[in-house]
Amino acid sequence: MTFLLRALGYDDTKGDFIWDRATEFAVTCGVLSQNERNAVEKAGFHRDQMVYLSYYTLFAKKRGGSQTLLSELIASGVIDKTAADTAIQGVTRPRL
């Protein structure tokens, strides 16, 4: 979760959050739901959870802004919008 929060512009070295309480902070700032936090903390952290959390972090707003991580990556040319739209349409798993 620390990795994902850093991708959103949060910095644990500057006191934005404490790395070993990253899931708690992620709920506070709206990156995770409480159900998602519970699932990660209950079952341990697995690869499928990393994929799930990474995907939904793309739709979280960047620190201090109104732009999502995905919209920033599209605007900067890192991700192609058409490819992103196609991939998003293929995701059928709902959020917890």
Side-chain angles (χ1 to χ4, degrees), residues 12-85:
D12 53 313
T13 65
K14 294 183 180 174
D16 290 338
F17 66 98
I18 301 168
W19 73 268
D20 61 347
R21 296 177 68 186
T23 56
E24 179 182 336
F25 179 76
V27 171
T28 302
C29 63
V31 175
L32 291 182
S33 71
Q34 186 61 48
N35 286 340
E36 291 164 334
R37 177 185 177 201
N38 293 344
V40 168
E41 290 180 352
K42 178 181 175 185
F45 198 64
H46 303 283
R47 278 182 279 213
D48 66 330
Q49 292 169 323
M50 185 63 194
V51 172
Y52 173 93
L53 295 174
S54 295
Y55 175 77
Y56 285 109
T57 298
L58 289 170
F59 301 97
K61 290 188 176 157
K62 295 277 294 186
R63 180 182 187 267
S66 60
Q67 190 174 28
T68 66
L69 178 58
L70 180 59
S71 62
E72 181 180 279
L73 293 170
I74 290 170
S76 66
V78 173
I79 294 177
D80 177 74
K81 182 171 179 7
T82 303
D85 290 341

